[in-house]
Amino acid sequence: MIELQHLSKRFLDNVVLDGVDLRVDDGQTVALLGPSGVGKSVLLKHIIGLIKPDSGDVIVDGLHVPLLRRKELAELRSHIGYVFQAGALFDSMSVYENIRLGITDETCYRDDGYCTDRVRECLRLVNLAPEVAQKFPAELSGGMRKRVSISRAIAGKPKYLLYDEPTSGLDPVNADVIDGLIERLQQEIGVTSVVVTHDVRGAFRVADRIALLWQAKIRAVGTSEEILQSKDPAVHQFLERDLEMAVIQSESDDGSHV
Amino acid sequence: MNGVPVALDLRRDVGRWSLRTAGHAGRFTFLLFDMVRGLTEWRIWLPRMVEQAVNTGYGSLFIVLLVSGFAGAVTSLQTGYQFTGQLPLYVAGGVIVESMILELGPVLSGLILAGRIGARYAAELGTMRVTEQIDALESLGRSPISHLLLPRVIAGLFVIPPLIMFADTFGVLVGWVTAKSTLGITDADFVYGARYFFRPLDLWYSLIKSYFFAATVTIIPCYIGYNTQQGAEGVGRSTTAAVVASCVTILLLDTVITKLLLG
Ligand SMILES: Nc1ncnc2c1ncn2[C@@H]1O[C@H](COP(=O)(O)OP(=O)(O)OP(=O)(O)O)[C@@H](O)[C@H]1O
Ligand SMILES: [Mg+2]
Protein backbone atom coordinates (compact mmCIF):
# COMPACT_ATOMS: atom_id res chain seq x y z
CA MET A 1 0.00 0.00 0.00
CA ILE A 2 1.14 3.51 -0.78
CA GLU A 3 -0.16 6.24 1.46
CA LEU A 4 0.55 9.96 1.36
CA GLN A 5 -0.49 11.73 4.53
CA HIS A 6 -0.84 15.45 4.47
CA LEU A 7 2.23 15.84 2.31
CA SER A 8 3.61 19.35 1.86
CA LYS A 9 6.54 20.55 -0.19
CA ARG A 10 7.73 23.94 -1.30
CA PHE A 11 10.72 25.10 -3.31
CA LEU A 12 11.61 28.56 -1.96
CA ASP A 13 8.35 30.52 -2.44
CA ASN A 14 6.84 27.98 -4.78
CA VAL A 15 4.33 25.88 -2.84
CA VAL A 16 4.10 22.72 -4.92
CA LEU A 17 2.26 20.35 -2.60
CA ASP A 18 0.10 21.61 0.24
CA GLY A 19 -1.38 18.88 2.40
CA VAL A 20 -1.79 16.13 -0.16
CA ASP A 21 -3.55 12.92 0.96
CA LEU A 22 -3.64 9.94 -1.35
CA ARG A 23 -3.99 6.22 -0.85
CA VAL A 24 -3.24 3.42 -3.28
CA ASP A 25 -4.37 0.02 -2.00
CA ASP A 26 -2.45 -3.12 -2.80
CA GLY A 27 -3.03 -4.29 -6.32
CA GLN A 28 -4.69 -1.05 -7.34
CA THR A 29 -3.75 1.39 -10.06
CA VAL A 30 -4.29 5.08 -9.48
CA ALA A 31 -3.94 7.54 -12.32
CA LEU A 32 -2.76 10.98 -11.33
CA LEU A 33 -3.91 13.75 -13.60
CA GLY A 34 -3.18 17.42 -13.45
CA PRO A 35 -2.02 20.39 -15.49
CA SER A 36 1.62 20.75 -16.42
CA GLY A 37 3.82 22.08 -13.64
CA VAL A 38 1.35 21.29 -10.87
CA GLY A 39 3.73 18.91 -9.10
CA LYS A 40 2.88 15.41 -10.33
CA SER A 41 6.52 14.44 -10.81
CA VAL A 42 7.42 15.96 -7.45
CA LEU A 43 4.68 13.90 -5.79
CA LEU A 44 5.90 10.72 -7.46
CA LYS A 45 9.50 11.36 -6.37
CA HIS A 46 8.35 11.61 -2.76
CA ILE A 47 7.13 8.04 -2.96
CA ILE A 48 10.62 6.64 -3.57
CA GLY A 49 12.30 9.18 -1.34
CA LEU A 50 14.13 11.10 -4.05
CA ILE A 51 12.58 14.24 -2.57
CA LYS A 52 12.04 14.70 1.15
CA PRO A 53 8.78 16.31 2.25
CA ASP A 54 8.73 19.51 4.30
CA SER A 55 5.97 17.96 6.37
CA GLY A 56 3.62 15.03 6.20
CA ASP A 57 4.40 11.37 5.74
CA VAL A 58 4.86 8.88 2.94
CA ILE A 59 4.15 5.25 3.81
CA VAL A 60 5.05 2.51 1.35
CA ASP A 61 4.74 -1.16 2.23
CA GLY A 62 4.25 -0.13 5.86
CA LEU A 63 7.50 1.84 5.96
CA HIS A 64 7.81 5.57 6.62
CA VAL A 65 9.89 6.59 3.60
CA PRO A 66 11.21 9.94 4.89
CA LEU A 67 12.55 8.27 8.04
CA LEU A 68 14.29 5.31 6.43
CA ARG A 69 18.03 4.79 6.71
CA ARG A 70 19.92 4.51 3.49
CA LYS A 71 20.14 0.70 3.51
CA GLU A 72 16.44 0.32 4.24
CA LEU A 73 15.57 2.84 1.58
CA ALA A 74 17.69 1.00 -0.99
CA GLU A 75 16.00 -2.26 -0.05
CA LEU A 76 12.55 -0.68 -0.41
CA ARG A 77 13.49 0.93 -3.72
CA SER A 78 14.55 -2.41 -5.14
CA HIS A 79 10.87 -3.37 -4.97
CA ILE A 80 9.70 -0.20 -6.68
CA GLY A 81 10.03 0.47 -10.37
CA TYR A 82 10.15 4.12 -11.42
CA VAL A 83 9.71 5.31 -14.98
CA PHE A 84 11.25 8.76 -15.28
CA GLN A 85 9.45 11.35 -17.32
CA ALA A 86 12.53 11.99 -19.46
CA GLY A 87 13.65 8.36 -19.47
CA ALA A 88 16.86 8.93 -17.53
CA LEU A 89 18.63 6.07 -19.30
CA PHE A 90 22.32 5.55 -18.53
CA ASP A 91 23.70 6.99 -21.73
CA SER A 92 27.16 5.46 -21.56
CA MET A 93 25.70 1.95 -21.36
CA SER A 94 23.96 -0.19 -23.95
CA VAL A 95 20.25 -0.87 -23.72
CA TYR A 96 21.10 -4.36 -22.48
CA GLU A 97 23.17 -3.04 -19.58
CA ASN A 98 20.52 -0.44 -18.80
CA ILE A 99 17.81 -3.03 -18.43
CA ARG A 100 20.13 -5.42 -16.64
CA LEU A 101 20.77 -2.79 -13.97
CA GLY A 102 17.03 -2.84 -13.42
CA ILE A 103 17.31 -6.43 -12.20
CA THR A 104 17.59 -5.55 -8.56
CA ASP A 105 18.01 -9.01 -7.08
CA GLU A 106 21.77 -9.43 -6.76
CA THR A 107 21.84 -13.19 -7.40
CA CYS A 108 19.81 -12.81 -10.57
CA TYR A 109 21.86 -9.78 -11.60
CA ARG A 110 25.06 -11.84 -11.60
CA ASP A 111 23.52 -14.69 -13.58
CA ASP A 112 24.32 -13.93 -17.24
CA GLY A 113 21.89 -16.46 -18.65
CA TYR A 114 19.00 -15.22 -16.56
CA CYS A 115 19.78 -11.60 -17.45
CA THR A 116 19.88 -12.28 -21.21
CA ASP A 117 16.49 -13.94 -21.05
CA ARG A 118 14.99 -11.34 -18.78
CA VAL A 119 16.21 -8.41 -20.90
CA ARG A 120 14.80 -10.01 -24.04
CA GLU A 121 11.50 -10.62 -22.25
CA CYS A 122 11.27 -7.04 -20.99
CA LEU A 123 11.98 -5.67 -24.46
CA ARG A 124 9.25 -7.88 -25.88
CA LEU A 125 6.77 -6.63 -23.30
CA VAL A 126 7.21 -3.05 -24.50
CA ASN A 127 7.08 -4.06 -28.15
CA LEU A 128 10.78 -3.63 -28.94
CA ALA A 129 12.88 -6.00 -31.05
CA PRO A 130 15.66 -7.99 -29.32
CA GLU A 131 18.28 -6.31 -31.54
CA VAL A 132 17.63 -3.04 -29.71
CA ALA A 133 19.55 -4.50 -26.75
CA GLN A 134 22.90 -3.87 -28.44
CA LYS A 135 22.19 -0.20 -29.17
CA PHE A 136 23.01 2.83 -27.07
CA PRO A 137 20.34 5.25 -25.85
CA ALA A 138 21.60 8.00 -28.16
CA GLU A 139 20.84 5.76 -31.14
CA LEU A 140 17.17 5.37 -30.21
CA SER A 141 14.13 7.47 -30.99
CA GLY A 142 12.39 9.31 -28.16
CA GLY A 143 9.56 6.79 -28.00
CA MET A 144 11.97 3.85 -28.01
CA ARG A 145 13.90 5.41 -25.15
CA LYS A 146 10.71 5.79 -23.19
CA ARG A 147 9.92 2.14 -23.73
CA VAL A 148 13.41 1.05 -22.75
CA SER A 149 13.04 2.99 -19.53
CA ILE A 150 9.78 1.15 -18.87
CA SER A 151 11.63 -2.11 -19.51
CA ARG A 152 14.28 -1.12 -17.01
CA ALA A 153 11.66 -0.30 -14.39
CA ILE A 154 9.88 -3.65 -14.74
CA ALA A 155 13.01 -5.80 -15.12
CA GLY A 156 13.32 -6.35 -11.38
CA LYS A 157 9.72 -7.60 -11.08
CA PRO A 158 8.80 -4.81 -8.66
CA LYS A 159 5.77 -4.87 -6.38
CA TYR A 160 5.17 -1.19 -6.98
CA LEU A 161 5.41 0.72 -10.24
CA LEU A 162 5.45 4.48 -10.55
CA TYR A 163 5.05 5.71 -14.10
CA ASP A 164 5.75 9.35 -14.95
CA GLU A 165 3.94 9.87 -18.25
CA PRO A 166 4.67 6.43 -19.70
CA THR A 167 2.76 7.04 -22.92
CA SER A 168 3.63 10.65 -23.71
CA GLY A 169 5.51 10.91 -26.97
CA LEU A 170 4.32 7.50 -28.18
CA ASP A 171 2.18 6.77 -31.23
CA PRO A 172 -1.34 5.45 -30.45
CA VAL A 173 -0.39 1.84 -31.18
CA ASN A 174 2.54 1.82 -28.79
CA ALA A 175 0.61 3.87 -26.23
CA ASP A 176 -1.97 1.08 -26.33
CA VAL A 177 0.77 -1.52 -25.87
CA ILE A 178 2.01 0.30 -22.77
CA ASP A 179 -1.50 0.77 -21.37
CA GLY A 180 -2.05 -2.94 -21.98
CA LEU A 181 1.20 -3.73 -20.18
CA ILE A 182 0.20 -1.63 -17.17
CA GLU A 183 -3.13 -3.45 -17.02
CA ARG A 184 -1.52 -6.88 -17.40
CA LEU A 185 1.07 -6.27 -14.70
CA GLN A 186 -1.75 -5.31 -12.37
CA GLN A 187 -4.00 -8.23 -13.24
CA GLU A 188 -1.40 -10.98 -13.49
CA ILE A 189 1.17 -10.04 -10.86
CA GLY A 190 -0.92 -7.72 -8.73
CA VAL A 191 1.44 -4.77 -9.06
CA THR A 192 0.39 -1.62 -7.25
CA SER A 193 0.90 1.40 -9.48
CA VAL A 194 0.62 5.13 -9.78
CA VAL A 195 0.41 6.41 -13.33
CA VAL A 196 1.01 10.09 -13.96
CA THR A 197 -0.48 10.92 -17.30
CA HIS A 198 -1.96 13.55 -19.55
CA ASP A 199 -3.82 10.95 -21.53
CA VAL A 200 -7.30 10.92 -20.00
CA ARG A 201 -8.48 8.04 -22.15
CA GLY A 202 -5.49 5.95 -21.11
CA ALA A 203 -6.08 6.87 -17.49
CA PHE A 204 -9.71 5.75 -17.66
CA ARG A 205 -8.59 2.49 -19.22
CA VAL A 206 -5.83 1.45 -16.80
CA ALA A 207 -6.84 3.00 -13.50
CA ASP A 208 -9.09 1.77 -10.74
CA ARG A 209 -9.20 5.25 -9.36
CA ILE A 210 -8.33 8.64 -10.73
CA ALA A 211 -6.92 11.56 -8.79
CA LEU A 212 -6.70 15.13 -9.94
CA LEU A 213 -3.88 17.25 -8.57
CA TRP A 214 -4.92 20.87 -8.79
CA GLN A 215 -3.30 23.92 -7.20
CA ALA A 216 -1.12 21.95 -4.78
CA LYS A 217 -3.97 19.77 -3.52
CA ILE A 218 -5.77 16.59 -4.54
CA ARG A 219 -8.91 18.21 -5.86
CA ALA A 220 -10.83 15.05 -6.65
CA VAL A 221 -10.31 11.34 -6.36
CA GLY A 222 -12.56 8.45 -7.28
CA THR A 223 -13.45 5.82 -9.85
CA SER A 224 -13.81 6.97 -13.44
CA GLU A 225 -17.62 7.17 -13.09
CA GLU A 226 -17.35 9.27 -9.95
CA ILE A 227 -14.90 11.57 -11.66
CA LEU A 228 -17.05 11.91 -14.77
CA GLN A 229 -20.10 12.73 -12.66
CA SER A 230 -18.27 15.19 -10.48
CA LYS A 231 -19.81 18.64 -10.23
CA ASP A 232 -16.50 20.29 -9.47
CA PRO A 233 -15.81 22.97 -12.10
CA ALA A 234 -12.03 22.38 -11.89
CA VAL A 235 -12.51 18.71 -12.68
CA HIS A 236 -14.78 19.60 -15.56
CA GLN A 237 -12.49 22.21 -16.92
CA PHE A 238 -9.61 19.75 -16.84
CA LEU A 239 -11.44 16.72 -18.17
CA GLU A 240 -13.39 18.48 -20.88
CA ARG A 241 -10.35 20.03 -22.42
CA ASP A 242 -8.55 16.72 -22.37
CA LEU A 243 -11.55 14.75 -23.57
CA GLU A 244 -12.05 17.20 -26.41
CA MET A 245 -8.44 16.60 -27.33
CA ALA A 246 -9.03 12.88 -27.08
CA VAL A 247 -12.04 13.10 -29.36
CA ILE A 248 -10.12 15.15 -31.90
CA GLN A 249 -7.28 12.70 -31.68
CA SER A 250 -9.48 9.64 -32.14
CA GLU A 251 -11.17 11.28 -35.11
CA SER A 252 -7.84 11.91 -36.72
CA ASP A 253 -6.85 8.32 -35.91
CA ASP A 254 -9.94 7.12 -37.75
CA GLY A 255 -9.10 9.40 -40.61
CA SER A 256 -5.72 7.82 -41.01
CA HIS A 257 -7.25 4.38 -41.43
CA VAL A 258 -9.39 5.36 -44.41
CA MET B 1 25.64 57.90 4.74
CA ASN B 2 26.71 55.11 2.44
CA GLY B 3 28.83 53.34 4.99
CA VAL B 4 26.08 51.54 6.85
CA PRO B 5 24.32 49.72 3.99
CA VAL B 6 27.65 48.75 2.45
CA ALA B 7 28.86 47.37 5.76
CA LEU B 8 25.58 45.47 6.18
CA ASP B 9 25.86 44.12 2.66
CA LEU B 10 29.38 43.02 3.29
CA ARG B 11 28.44 41.37 6.54
CA ARG B 12 25.59 39.56 4.85
CA ASP B 13 27.85 38.41 2.03
CA VAL B 14 30.45 37.17 4.46
CA GLY B 15 27.73 35.43 6.45
CA ARG B 16 26.30 33.77 3.37
CA TRP B 17 29.75 32.77 2.19
CA SER B 18 30.62 31.21 5.53
CA LEU B 19 27.36 29.28 5.56
CA ARG B 20 28.01 27.98 2.07
CA THR B 21 31.57 26.99 2.93
CA ALA B 22 30.44 25.24 6.09
CA GLY B 23 27.75 23.46 4.09
CA HIS B 24 30.28 22.27 1.53
CA ALA B 25 32.70 21.14 4.21
CA GLY B 26 29.95 19.16 5.89
CA ARG B 27 28.70 17.50 2.75
CA PHE B 28 32.23 16.80 1.58
CA THR B 29 33.04 15.07 4.85
CA PHE B 30 29.86 13.01 4.64
CA LEU B 31 30.76 11.99 1.12
CA LEU B 32 34.20 10.86 2.29
CA PHE B 33 32.61 8.76 5.02
CA ASP B 34 30.17 7.30 2.52
CA MET B 35 33.00 6.39 0.21
CA VAL B 36 34.90 4.63 2.97
CA ARG B 37 31.74 2.75 3.90
CA GLY B 38 31.13 1.89 0.26
CA LEU B 39 34.50 0.16 0.02
CA THR B 40 32.88 -3.06 1.23
CA GLU B 41 30.86 -3.23 -1.99
CA TRP B 42 33.96 -4.21 -3.96
CA ARG B 43 31.96 -6.52 -6.24
CA ILE B 44 30.36 -3.41 -7.68
CA TRP B 45 33.20 -0.93 -7.85
CA LEU B 46 36.06 -3.24 -8.75
CA PRO B 47 35.09 -4.12 -12.35
CA ARG B 48 34.09 -0.53 -13.09
CA MET B 49 37.30 0.70 -11.52
CA VAL B 50 39.43 -1.43 -13.84
CA GLU B 51 37.60 -0.01 -16.84
CA GLN B 52 38.13 3.56 -15.60
CA ALA B 53 41.77 2.93 -14.76
CA VAL B 54 42.57 1.63 -18.23
CA ASN B 55 40.78 4.56 -19.85
CA THR B 56 42.27 7.33 -17.77
CA GLY B 57 45.72 5.74 -17.57
CA TYR B 58 46.36 5.30 -21.29
CA GLY B 59 44.53 8.49 -22.09
CA SER B 60 46.66 10.63 -19.79
CA LEU B 61 50.08 9.08 -20.41
CA PHE B 62 50.93 11.10 -23.49
CA ILE B 63 50.06 14.54 -22.16
CA VAL B 64 51.81 13.89 -18.84
CA LEU B 65 55.01 12.78 -20.56
CA LEU B 66 54.84 15.70 -22.96
CA VAL B 67 54.61 18.23 -20.17
CA SER B 68 57.31 16.65 -18.02
CA GLY B 69 59.60 16.29 -21.02
CA PHE B 70 59.38 19.99 -21.76
CA ALA B 71 59.80 20.80 -18.08
CA GLY B 72 62.99 18.70 -18.00
CA ALA B 73 64.39 20.40 -21.09
CA VAL B 74 63.64 23.90 -19.82
CA THR B 75 65.07 23.19 -16.36
CA SER B 76 68.18 21.95 -18.02
CA LEU B 77 68.54 25.03 -20.22
CA GLN B 78 67.92 27.45 -17.36
CA THR B 79 70.37 25.66 -15.09
CA GLY B 80 72.96 26.05 -17.77
CA TYR B 81 72.11 29.72 -18.26
CA GLN B 82 72.34 30.54 -14.55
CA PHE B 83 75.24 28.44 -13.35
CA THR B 84 77.72 28.05 -16.21
CA GLY B 85 81.09 29.41 -15.20
CA GLN B 86 80.16 29.89 -11.54
CA LEU B 87 79.57 26.37 -10.26
CA PRO B 88 81.01 23.02 -11.30
CA LEU B 89 78.97 21.43 -14.12
CA TYR B 90 77.96 18.37 -12.14
CA VAL B 91 75.67 20.60 -10.05
CA ALA B 92 73.37 20.67 -13.08
CA GLY B 93 72.77 16.92 -12.62
CA GLY B 94 71.60 17.49 -9.06
CA VAL B 95 69.44 20.49 -9.88
CA ILE B 96 67.65 18.76 -12.76
CA VAL B 97 66.95 15.52 -10.91
CA GLU B 98 65.93 17.21 -7.68
CA SER B 99 63.64 19.80 -9.24
CA MET B 100 61.95 17.22 -11.46
CA ILE B 101 61.32 14.72 -8.67
CA LEU B 102 60.54 17.12 -5.88
CA GLU B 103 58.46 19.71 -7.60
CA LEU B 104 57.99 19.84 -11.34
CA GLY B 105 57.00 16.24 -12.02
CA PRO B 106 54.30 15.95 -9.36
CA VAL B 107 52.93 19.49 -9.52
CA LEU B 108 52.83 19.94 -13.29
CA SER B 109 51.36 16.47 -13.76
CA GLY B 110 48.84 17.16 -11.01
CA LEU B 111 47.74 20.41 -12.63
CA ILE B 112 47.47 18.81 -16.08
CA LEU B 113 45.53 15.87 -14.66
CA ALA B 114 43.17 18.25 -12.88
CA GLY B 115 42.28 19.43 -16.37
CA ARG B 116 42.21 16.01 -17.96
CA ILE B 117 40.78 13.68 -15.35
CA GLY B 118 39.12 16.15 -12.99
CA ALA B 119 37.23 18.00 -15.70
CA ARG B 120 36.10 14.72 -17.21
CA TYR B 121 34.83 13.30 -13.93
CA ALA B 122 32.98 16.49 -13.04
CA ALA B 123 31.37 16.76 -16.47
CA GLU B 124 30.36 13.09 -16.54
CA LEU B 125 28.83 13.10 -13.08
CA GLY B 126 27.29 16.53 -13.60
CA THR B 127 25.57 15.39 -16.77
CA MET B 128 24.35 12.26 -15.03
CA ARG B 129 22.95 14.41 -12.23
CA VAL B 130 21.07 16.88 -14.42
CA THR B 131 19.66 14.17 -16.71
CA GLU B 132 18.39 12.30 -13.61
CA GLN B 133 20.65 9.30 -14.28
CA ILE B 134 21.89 9.46 -10.69
CA ASP B 135 18.29 9.57 -9.45
CA ALA B 136 17.53 6.63 -11.73
CA LEU B 137 20.38 4.65 -10.22
CA GLU B 138 19.08 5.41 -6.74
CA SER B 139 15.54 4.52 -7.78
CA LEU B 140 16.85 1.03 -8.56
CA GLY B 141 18.13 0.75 -5.00
CA ARG B 142 21.71 1.06 -6.24
CA SER B 143 24.27 3.31 -4.65
CA PRO B 144 25.81 6.07 -6.77
CA ILE B 145 28.79 5.99 -4.43
CA SER B 146 29.80 2.43 -5.28
CA HIS B 147 28.62 2.52 -8.90
CA LEU B 148 29.94 5.90 -9.94
CA LEU B 149 32.22 7.60 -7.43
CA LEU B 150 34.39 4.84 -5.99
CA PRO B 151 35.40 3.38 -9.37
CA ARG B 152 36.57 6.80 -10.49
CA VAL B 153 38.40 7.75 -7.30
CA ILE B 154 40.13 4.41 -6.85
CA ALA B 155 41.08 4.25 -10.52
CA GLY B 156 42.74 7.63 -10.05
CA LEU B 157 44.61 6.47 -6.94
CA PHE B 158 45.88 3.46 -8.89
CA VAL B 159 46.85 5.23 -12.05
CA ILE B 160 48.02 8.72 -11.15
CA PRO B 161 51.01 7.97 -8.86
CA PRO B 162 52.61 5.70 -11.51
CA LEU B 163 51.88 8.35 -14.12
CA ILE B 164 53.70 10.89 -11.99
CA MET B 165 56.62 8.48 -11.51
CA PHE B 166 56.82 8.08 -15.29
CA ALA B 167 56.68 11.83 -15.62
CA ASP B 168 59.54 12.26 -13.11
CA THR B 169 61.67 9.74 -14.95
CA PHE B 170 60.94 11.05 -18.38
CA GLY B 171 61.59 14.65 -17.31
CA VAL B 172 64.96 13.66 -15.85
CA LEU B 173 65.90 11.78 -19.03
CA VAL B 174 64.99 14.67 -21.30
CA GLY B 175 66.82 17.06 -18.96
CA TRP B 176 69.86 14.84 -19.06
CA VAL B 177 69.91 14.64 -22.87
CA THR B 178 69.41 18.38 -23.11
CA ALA B 179 72.21 19.04 -20.62
CA LYS B 180 74.53 16.79 -22.58
CA SER B 181 73.87 18.48 -25.86
CA THR B 182 73.78 22.12 -24.69
CA LEU B 183 76.03 22.25 -21.62
CA GLY B 184 78.36 19.49 -22.72
CA ILE B 185 78.13 17.77 -19.34
CA THR B 186 79.42 14.18 -19.35
CA ASP B 187 77.30 11.24 -18.25
CA ALA B 188 79.69 10.60 -15.38
CA ASP B 189 79.39 14.19 -14.13
CA PHE B 190 75.59 14.14 -14.43
CA VAL B 191 75.27 10.91 -12.48
CA TYR B 192 77.76 12.12 -9.90
CA GLY B 193 75.78 15.34 -9.40
CA ALA B 194 72.49 13.52 -9.22
CA ARG B 195 73.83 11.10 -6.60
CA TYR B 196 75.53 13.83 -4.63
CA PHE B 197 72.31 15.71 -3.95
CA PHE B 198 69.90 12.76 -3.88
CA ARG B 199 68.40 11.38 -0.67
CA PRO B 200 66.04 8.38 -0.54
CA LEU B 201 63.51 10.59 1.27
CA ASP B 202 63.11 12.54 -1.98
CA LEU B 203 61.46 9.62 -3.71
CA TRP B 204 59.12 9.02 -0.80
CA TYR B 205 58.30 12.68 -0.72
CA SER B 206 57.45 12.62 -4.42
CA LEU B 207 55.34 9.51 -4.01
CA ILE B 208 53.44 10.92 -1.03
CA LYS B 209 52.74 14.09 -2.95
CA SER B 210 51.51 12.16 -5.93
CA TYR B 211 49.02 10.24 -3.79
CA PHE B 212 47.67 13.45 -2.32
CA PHE B 213 47.39 14.98 -5.77
CA ALA B 214 45.70 11.85 -7.10
CA ALA B 215 43.12 12.09 -4.34
CA THR B 216 42.66 15.80 -5.04
CA VAL B 217 42.03 15.55 -8.78
CA THR B 218 39.54 12.71 -8.32
CA ILE B 219 37.63 13.33 -5.10
CA ILE B 220 37.05 17.06 -5.50
CA PRO B 221 35.71 16.82 -9.08
CA CYS B 222 33.56 13.85 -8.10
CA TYR B 223 32.09 15.83 -5.22
CA ILE B 224 31.45 18.89 -7.36
CA GLY B 225 30.05 16.92 -10.31
CA TYR B 226 27.85 14.84 -8.03
CA ASN B 227 26.29 18.00 -6.57
CA THR B 228 25.69 19.73 -9.89
CA GLN B 229 22.51 21.78 -10.30
CA GLN B 230 20.57 23.18 -13.18
CA GLY B 231 21.13 21.99 -16.66
CA ALA B 232 23.91 22.41 -19.18
CA GLU B 233 25.03 25.63 -17.55
CA GLY B 234 25.33 23.84 -14.23
CA VAL B 235 27.52 21.18 -15.79
CA GLY B 236 29.74 23.87 -17.27
CA ARG B 237 29.95 25.62 -13.92
CA SER B 238 30.79 22.36 -12.14
CA THR B 239 33.50 21.50 -14.61
CA THR B 240 35.20 24.86 -14.27
CA ALA B 241 34.83 24.81 -10.51
CA ALA B 242 36.27 21.30 -10.34
CA VAL B 243 39.40 22.25 -12.28
CA VAL B 244 39.96 25.48 -10.37
CA ALA B 245 39.35 23.89 -6.97
CA SER B 246 41.62 20.95 -7.77
CA CYS B 247 44.43 23.20 -9.00
CA VAL B 248 44.25 25.49 -5.97
CA THR B 249 44.14 22.50 -3.63
CA ILE B 250 47.18 20.98 -5.34
CA LEU B 251 49.16 24.18 -4.84
CA LEU B 252 48.07 24.45 -1.21
CA LEU B 253 48.85 20.81 -0.49
CA ASP B 254 52.20 21.20 -2.22
CA THR B 255 53.13 23.94 0.20
CA VAL B 256 51.82 22.14 3.26
CA ILE B 257 53.44 18.81 2.43
CA THR B 258 56.74 20.47 1.65
CA LYS B 259 56.68 22.33 4.93
CA LEU B 260 55.82 19.18 6.87
CA LEU B 261 58.23 16.79 5.19
CA LEU B 262 61.16 18.96 4.17
CA GLY B 263 60.68 22.23 6.08
N1 LIG C 1 14.26 20.41 -7.93
C1 LIG C 1 13.40 21.44 -7.99
N2 LIG C 1 13.77 22.63 -7.51
C2 LIG C 1 12.92 23.68 -7.57
N3 LIG C 1 11.69 23.63 -8.06
C3 LIG C 1 11.26 22.46 -8.56
C4 LIG C 1 12.11 21.30 -8.56
N4 LIG C 1 11.42 20.29 -9.11
C5 LIG C 1 10.22 20.80 -9.45
N5 LIG C 1 10.11 22.08 -9.12
C6 LIG C 1 8.93 22.93 -9.31
O1 LIG C 1 7.84 22.20 -8.86
C7 LIG C 1 6.71 22.42 -9.68
C8 LIG C 1 6.12 21.10 -10.12
O2 LIG C 1 7.03 20.43 -10.97
P1 LIG C 1 6.70 18.99 -11.57
O3 LIG C 1 7.87 18.58 -12.36
O4 LIG C 1 6.28 18.08 -10.48
O5 LIG C 1 5.48 19.26 -12.52
P2 LIG C 1 4.59 18.20 -13.28
O6 LIG C 1 3.24 18.22 -12.68
O7 LIG C 1 5.30 16.90 -13.33
O8 LIG C 1 4.51 18.83 -14.73
P3 LIG C 1 4.61 18.11 -16.15
O9 LIG C 1 3.28 17.53 -16.43
O10 LIG C 1 4.92 19.23 -17.09
O11 LIG C 1 5.69 17.10 -16.06
C9 LIG C 1 7.19 23.28 -10.83
O12 LIG C 1 6.73 24.60 -10.58
C10 LIG C 1 8.66 23.23 -10.76
O13 LIG C 1 9.18 24.48 -11.11
MG1 LIG D 1 6.30 15.83 -14.64
Side-chain angles (χ1 to χ4, degrees), chain B residues 90-143:
Chain B
Y90 71 82
V91 172
V95 171
I96 291 165
V97 170
E98 291 298 279
S99 48
M100 266 329 285
I101 293 183
L102 292 184
E103 179 69 11
L104 294 176
V107 172
L108 286 181
S109 306
L111 294 177
I112 282 291
L113 292 176
R116 236 205 87 96
I117 298 179
R120 176 181 163 162
Y121 283 2
E124 282 175 353
L125 291 170
T127 307
M128 295 189 78
R129 169 63 77 193
V130 301
T131 55
E132 295 187 313
Q133 291 178 54
I134 292 183
D135 286 344
L137 201 58
E138 291 196 291
S139 82
L140 297 168
R142 299 178 178 279
S143 146

Side-chain angles (χ1 to χ4, degrees), chain A residues 9-12 14-17 32 34-45 51 85 164-165 196-198 213, chain B residues 230:
Chain A
K9 180 72 186 176
R10 64 200 291 176
F11 295 106
L12 301 177
N14 181 7
V15 179
V16 180
L17 303 174
L32 184 63
S36 182
V38 73
K40 304 183 295 294
S41 301
V42 169
L43 186 153
L44 219 52
K45 282 179 186 168
I51 298 182
Q85 186 168 4
D164 201 344
E165 309 205 357
V196 167
T197 182
H198 280 136
L213 188 61
Chain B
Q230 282 142 22

